[in-house]
Amino acid sequence: MMLTIAFRNIFRQKRRTILTALAMIVGFTLSSIVIGLSDGAYSNVIEMFTGNRIGHIQVHRAGYQDKPSIYKTISDYESIGKTIQNENGVEAWTPRIYTGGLGSVDERSTAVQIIGIDVARENKATHFNKKVIEGNTLSETASHEVVIGEKLAKTLAATIGSKIVLFSQAADGSIANDEYTIVGIADSGDDITNRVACYLHIDDVQELFVLEGRVHEIVVIVSNINKVERISNTITEKLDNTSLEILPWYQVVKSFYDAMQKDKQGDAVARFIIVFIVAIGVLNTVLMSVMERTREYGVLKAVGTKPIQVFWLVIYEVVIISIGSIVIGAMLGVFFNYLLSVYGVSYAEGFTLAGVEFGKMYAEVNVACLLIPATTVFVSAVIVSLFPAIKAARIMPARAMRIH
Amino acid sequence: MNQTEKTDVIIAEGVTKIYDADGIPVNALNGVDLTIQAGEFTAIVGPSGSGKTTFLNIISGLDAPTEGKVSLAGKVISEMSGNELSDYRRDNIGFIFQAYNLIPVLTVEENVEYIMLLAGVPKAERHKRVIDILKVVGLEGVEDRLPTQLSGGQQQRVAIARAMVSEPTIILADEPTANLDSKTGTDLLEMMRRLNTDTGMTYVFSTHDPLVMERAKRLITLRDGLVESDETRE
Ligand SMILES: Nc1ncnc2c1ncn2[C@@H]1O[C@H](COP(=O)(O)OP(=O)(O)O)[C@@H](O)[C@H]1O
Ligand SMILES: [Mg+2]
């Protein structure tokens, strides 16, 4: 029955209800946007780092990660790839070969990194074709073509159509030496790679280095990055091969990941401050709306309402308003975060992190951006109403009614 | 009828109330002994500040005495728990306040039925009793209005209806006519007196309005927190 009265109070005291709800809704939406944006920024950084470059999971010959070597290869990579592709949540996989050598265009030479890629798979997995900013991407069949990093092109004064001679030592100890046509110039999104990368068709590299049927790395792209750990574990189980090492992205780029975690701790402090401000706002409005009604509670008690009923009345009202506010706030939060996830907001100044450039911040709609504000609003509203609720329940009616 | 008239509804013994006004003790009541019997129509009079409101609050359990003892329908108020007191008040006391104190968000009908809701009276019966009692206090057809849509006199009638609807042992009214013009006030008092005569319900009200005093059957005068005089007239 107190519930009925609570509803009546809420619907018939519209001004008060709206004021209280507004404080909650605004607090909810703001904190939701802040969380959505900051989570979105992290996800964005991670996605830039993983999706287009290192992938979400990498498979190597055991020990490769610690000490890469041309000899630490994976041989039956087609069947491994097939096993991985069959895993739930795996979107794509692509094999790579990494070696080093000397690259020469006419009179100029410099150290280069030779990256053999399966062009069709690489396009699908990491959108390699989109990294080519000048000229064309590699053909899907091996045809002695090369795409080089934009800074490397400058160093070598190479242009589209130039010939590049790659010189190195093959896996069997013989001399690897061949000439390729530069068909494109790429911006890999990271500075170091741009200075050294020579992308070749995987078959060309296998031939050059006498590595037929072998690769150094399998990059796996998953559809939901949050499931990386689980997928990485099941892949490890399914492959059941101790000579392989299956690592999720955060172990592949551990130092970057650790730095980001540190940064996140700073963010947690900022989040706490926002939550705190929202809580104070809610506390203030709820406290005021309960306090200004001391007289009403006195009357209720005077006509025979039990203390516990008065207590519940106060709590019900606050709970109903907060639930309503949370629902509206959630809709607004999702709406704004969605907009911001599509359109983004520009950073005051763009910045570069680990060689990746960021100019815009995109929000993300996730559980945290709803759950944290919801908990904040609800808990602070209920906690703050406890005190006046107990007070209202215990109030001496005579005293309450004297207050005007 | 004679039987019930002899029943003591309220017995106040040595009731003292000392308020704490920001550290300064204020003696509102200084040892009041009074007995109210069933069926009385009693006025408590006295100048402003003489302790009328305090006394009514204490005998209804709305406030606790500093010293002394109050029995209501045979039970000592100070010995009851908060819940017991609430139920007791709900079942035995109808209170009419100077400031009406209707619940602003409830309609007239909801205000009047509130106590019956608390007591768990079924809906159909509640409605019937509300309509009946509104007729008694002369307020037919306003049951769906909110208190703010009524005049002061009408609001006080609603308050009287609310106090009477559950047929309590006693109705206590603290200056029920103070906020009303004298015509409305005397009309209201006439009505209360008629209800007292018709139903035998006990009425105790405070006032400093001579027109109201005239209509009382018993006149208790307070001064400086003490009973100065106590006269019964018929
Ligand atoms: N809550 C209170 N705190 C302090 N003093 C009070 C309080 N209530 C009443 N008083 C004082 O007690 C005395 C009696 O007040 P009251 O019972 O309201 O008198 P009356 O109703 O006859 O005007 C007055 O002096 C008044 O100022
Ligand atoms: Mg008074």
Side-chain angles (χ1 to χ4, degrees):
Chain A
M1 183 206 52
M2 298 320 282
L3 205 56
T4 320
I5 295 178
F7 271 111
R8 282 176 184 162
N9 276 329
I10 287 166
F11 288 113
R12 293 190 192 162
Q13 294 282 356
K14 290 202 179 67
R15 192 191 59 90
R16 190 170 60 210
T17 303
I18 289 169
L19 274 180
T20 314
L22 220 55
M24 295 184 185
I25 293 169
V26 168
F28 185 108
T29 312
L30 282 183
S31 50
S32 177
I33 290 172
V34 168
I35 292 168
L37 270 178
S38 88
D39 278 357
Y42 283 118
S43 301
N44 197 16
V45 169
I46 293 170
E47 195 46 43
M48 294 276 242
F49 215 87
T50 58
N52 293 332
R53 297 169 59 201
I54 64 165
H56 297 128
I57 298 169
Q58 292 194 348
V59 182
H60 301 120
R61 157 69 39 109
Y64 184 88
Q65 172 72 15
D66 280 343
K67 207 164 173 279
S69 143
I70 186 173
Y71 306 108
K72 292 175 184 165
T73 56
I74 306 168
S75 43
D76 44 354
Y77 69 91
E78 281 292 345
S79 79
I80 291 175
K82 211 163 275 165
T83 311
I84 290 171
Q85 184 71 67
N86 284 338
E87 215 36 66
N88 255 344
V90 170
E91 211 164 82
W93 69 278
T94 184
R96 291 174 184 169
I97 295 182
Y98 291 99
T99 65
L102 195 71
S104 314
V105 174
D106 299 330
E107 300 305 303
R108 295 178 191 234
S109 300
T110 186
V112 295
Q113 183 184 32
I114 298 160
I115 307 164
I117 56 173
D118 179 328
V119 181
R121 287 204 172 104
E122 195 73 39
N123 282 346
K124 190 172 166 234
T126 65
H127 312 289
F128 174 73
N129 46 336
K130 289 194 184 139
K131 292 178 189 165
V132 178
I133 52 172
E134 218 187 307
N136 293 315
T137 185
L138 297 169
S139 310
E140 292 196 2
T141 51
S143 35
H144 267 62
E145 293 169 347
V146 61
V147 167
I148 64 174
E150 56 172 335
K151 297 236 165 97
L152 178 61
K154 282 208 184 88
T155 310
L156 294 173
T159 51
I160 307 291
S162 305
K163 304 279 186 207
I164 184 168
V165 174
L166 296 177
F167 182 84
S168 189
Q169 190 180 29
D172 63 354
S174 66
I175 287 175
N177 187 5
D178 211 341
E179 193 184 63
Y180 302 87
T181 309
I182 298 172
V183 295
I185 291 172
D187 174 9
S188 68
D190 116 64
D191 199 54
I192 299 164
T193 310
N194 281 347
R195 283 175 199 281
V196 297
C198 291
Y199 297 96
L200 278 74
H201 195 285
I202 194 166
D203 294 348
D204 282 341
V205 180
Q206 283 170 344
E207 189 199 318
L208 178 64
F209 285 88
V210 195
L211 281 170
E212 271 84 4
R214 285 178 287 170
V215 296
H216 293 116
E217 177 172 288
I218 292 174
V219 166
V220 182
I221 301 290
V222 301
S223 43
N224 181 352
I225 193 164
N226 297 319
K227 293 187 176 148
V228 155
E229 185 170 352
R230 191 185 57 71
I231 294 172
S232 159
N233 286 340
T234 39
I235 288 176
T236 309
E237 260 172 53
K238 285 275 161 63
L239 292 178
D240 190 27
N241 185 341
T242 49
S243 73
L244 295 177
E245 188 173 56
I246 293 98
L247 294 176
W249 68 270
Y250 46 85
Q251 283 177 29
V252 175
V253 282
K254 202 161 177 345
S255 57
F256 162 77
Y257 181 71
D258 290 346
M260 204 185 67
Q261 288 302 103
K262 271 244 172 63
D263 194 69
K264 265 196 164 175
Q265 276 164 24
D267 187 65
V269 173
R271 237 173 238 210
F272 179 79
I273 291 169
I274 286 157
V275 161
F276 189 74
I277 292 169
V278 170
I280 296 288
V282 171
L283 286 171
N284 188 43
T285 3
V286 170
L287 202 61
M288 268 173 39
S289 96
V290 174
M291 286 311 190
E292 75 178 21
R293 295 161 67 199
T294 311
R295 182 189 186 82
E296 209 175 305
Y297 299 128
V299 175
L300 288 179
K301 283 199 73 178
V303 300
T305 314
K306 284 191 183 58
I308 188 75
Q309 291 174 311
V310 174
F311 172 84
W312 281 120
L313 179 66
V314 176
I315 299 289
Y316 284 155
E317 282 185 36
V318 172
V319 167
I320 294 166
I321 295 180
S322 24
I323 289 175
S325 304
I326 286 169
V327 169
I328 296 172
M331 294 194 288
L332 288 175
V334 167
F335 175 72
F336 284 119
N337 277 328
Y338 177 73
L339 282 187
L340 288 172
S341 76
V342 175
Y343 299 105
V345 279
S346 299
Y347 284 109
E349 317 169 10
F351 66 93
T352 309
L353 184 80
V356 183
E357 257 191 62
F358 296 92
K360 258 187 162 189
M361 179 152 67
Y362 293 92
E364 172 179 297
V365 181
N366 60 15
V367 180
C369 80
L370 296 180
L371 210 59
I372 294 175
T375 318
T376 308
V377 168
F378 194 78
V379 170
S380 53
V382 171
I383 285 181
V384 74
S385 63
L386 277 181
F387 168 72
I390 291 168
K391 217 181 136 182
R394 285 204 174 151
I395 208 158
M396 266 294 174
R399 178 168 299 231
M401 287 183 295
R402 253 180 86 89
I403 303 163
H404 275 263
Chain B
M1 209 60 190
N2 244 8
Q3 187 72 33
T4 44
E5 293 221 21
K6 291 239 166 65
T7 318
D8 291 338
V9 179
I10 290 169
I11 305 168
E13 294 167 276
V15 170
T16 301
K17 180 69 182 183
I18 304 169
Y19 287 111
D20 177 21
D22 296 320
I24 306 152
V26 179
N27 285 58
L29 295 174
N30 296 305
V32 174
D33 300 305
L34 267 180
T35 302
I36 311 278
Q37 290 182 324
E40 279 189 19
F41 195 71
T42 297
I44 296 176
V45 300
S48 182
S50 57
K52 304 181 294 292
T53 299
T54 305
F55 182 69
L56 287 177
N57 284 343
I58 287 174
I59 61 177
S60 58
L62 294 181
D63 206 349
T66 313
E67 259 173 67
K69 194 170 108 177
V70 177
S71 312
L72 182 67
K75 282 198 103 178
V76 180
I77 288 180
S78 59
E79 289 168 2
M80 287 187 241
S81 72
N83 280 340
E84 266 183 292
L85 191 58
S86 297
D87 285 349
Y88 212 68
R89 200 152 45 218
R90 181 193 71 199
D91 298 335
N92 292 293
I93 301 174
F95 210 107
I96 300 165
F97 307 87
Q98 176 181 338
Y100 327 135
N101 280 339
L102 298 175
I103 297 162
V105 298
L106 302 185
T107 64
V108 167
E109 169 155 9
E110 288 160 355
N111 261 288
V112 176
E113 74 171 356
Y114 182 82
I115 299 167
M116 293 187 286
L117 254 168
L118 289 176
V121 177
K123 190 178 165 76
E125 178 170 356
R126 284 203 310 264
H127 182 71
K128 185 186 170 296
R129 276 163 71 174
V130 168
I131 298 302
D132 288 351
I133 198 80
L134 286 178
K135 200 176 289 170
V136 171
V137 298
L139 277 181
E140 289 139 299
V142 300
E143 47 287 355
D144 292 329
R145 294 212 208 149
L146 289 171
T148 48
Q149 298 167 317
L150 300 178
S151 72
Q154 286 175 313
Q155 287 190 50
Q156 197 60 304
R157 280 166 199 263
V158 175
I160 293 171
R162 174 177 69 179
M164 288 180 51
V165 74
S166 57
E167 294 168 1
T169 319
I170 185 166
I171 288 187
L172 300 172
D174 189 16
E175 308 213 24
T177 61
N179 286 6
L180 306 173
D181 61 72
S182 69
K183 166 85 169 67
T184 316
T186 40
D187 282 356
L188 212 67
L189 216 84
E190 283 298 339
M191 187 189 79
M192 282 164 63
R193 179 157 175 164
R194 185 166 40 77
L195 291 168
N196 165 258
T197 313
D198 294 351
T199 63
M201 207 180 276
T202 315
Y203 276 83
V204 176
F205 52 92
S206 70
T207 185
H208 55 250
D209 180 350
L211 285 171
V212 173
M213 290 177 211
E214 269 171 28
R215 288 167 170 81
K217 294 176 185 167
R218 180 183 175 193
L219 207 59
I220 298 165
T221 311
L222 289 184
R223 184 174 295 276
D224 297 332
L226 282 168
V227 178
E228 192 186 52
S229 68
D230 181 354
E231 43 180 307
T232 306
R233 41 191 199 183
E234 211 53 48

